[in-house]
Amino acid sequence: MEDLKQVFASKLLAIKAIKLQPSDPFTWASGWKSPFYCDNRKTLSYPRLRTFVKTEMVHAVLEHFADATVVAGVATGGVPQGALIADELGLPFVYVRSKPKDHGLENLIEGVLEPGAKVVVVEDLVSTGGSSLKAVEALRHQRAEVVGMLASYTYGFPVAAEAFKKAGVELVTLTDYDHVVAEALATGYISEADVEVLHEWRKDPANWKK
């Protein structure tokens, strides 16, 4: 798994899905300033890499969540990957909206989800874990059993680790912050000084200032 994390980190950097800009930080939707941005949805545009991600996610499901009977994607990033995984495994697929539709049946969960279904949840990335765990809550509200969550990437924030522990949800990812930063340093994409900035940011991202 450690080799996979390094390999996938390298692939994300190669397609510029990971951007590290310690001197020119991004602004996230949350308002946080961040020297780090991950857009791993770019993998969908590269057929070989898309297949690589699908294959490794399928392997992860079989290794960690083999009792899953349904795959659920979290809108929007987890929907395409979740559908690919469900298709490969021959399992039903549903997806969880960020909020209910404002018309028609006003669904929060799209698709057929039977009570008692054992669900593996698929995300594109995990930051604080808030939206991911809202999806878990929605699935549990429909009397499904969430057996775990699978994501391409996690920032590894302590607040997220605590939230997943409290919710009783196992999180498995293909790569993470530590492996991306290590690979970026090894390839000369960032410097040792940049690594110090990135580590300081991750300690308290909500209050970090350049």
Side-chain angles (χ1 to χ4, degrees), residues 5-6 8-10 12-13 18-22 35-37 153-156 175-202:
K5 289 184 176 181
Q6 179 184 356
F8 190 43
S10 177
L12 289 175
L13 287 163
I18 299 286
K19 292 188 180 293
L20 302 174
Q21 295 181 188
F36 195 124
Y37 190 79
Y153 174 83
T154 179
Y155 286 100
T175 194
D176 52 35
Y177 167 91
D178 290 325
H179 286 83
V180 166
V181 171
E183 188 65 18
L185 179 62
T187 56
Y189 183 44
I190 56 174
S191 67
E192 289 282 3
D194 293 331
V195 173
E196 291 182 20
V197 173
L198 290 166
H199 287 348
E200 281 301 312
W201 163 75
R202 195 170 69 152

Side-chain angles (χ1 to χ4, degrees), residues 7 24 39 61 99 125 142 145 155 163 206:
V7 168
D24 184 21
D39 182 12
V61 171
K99 58 183 181 181
L125 65 81
Q142 292 299 313
E145 177 186 346
Y155 286 100

Side-chain angles (χ1 to χ4, degrees), residues 1 5 14 17 28 39 41-42 52 67 72 81 90-91 106 112 117 130 137 149-150 164 170 173 179 189 198 202 204:
M1 192 67 176
K5 289 184 176 181
W28 285 3
D39 182 12
R41 281 175 272 197
K42 281 189 173 182
F52 172 87
D67 56 341
Q81 296 294 2
L91 293 177
E106 300 182 350
V112 178
E137 185 180 342
M149 183 175 297
L150 179 62
F164 274 86
E170 180 183 358
T173 64
H179 286 83
Y189 183 44
L198 290 166
R202 195 170 69 152
D204 188 11

Side-chain angles (χ1 to χ4, degrees), residues 9 13 22 34 38 54 59 61 90-91 95 108 123 126-127 154 194:
L13 287 163
S34 170
C38 178
K54 177 187 72 173
H59 289 165
V61 171
L91 293 177
Y95 71 88
L108 180 58
E123 265 281 27
V126 172
S127 53
T154 179
D194 293 331

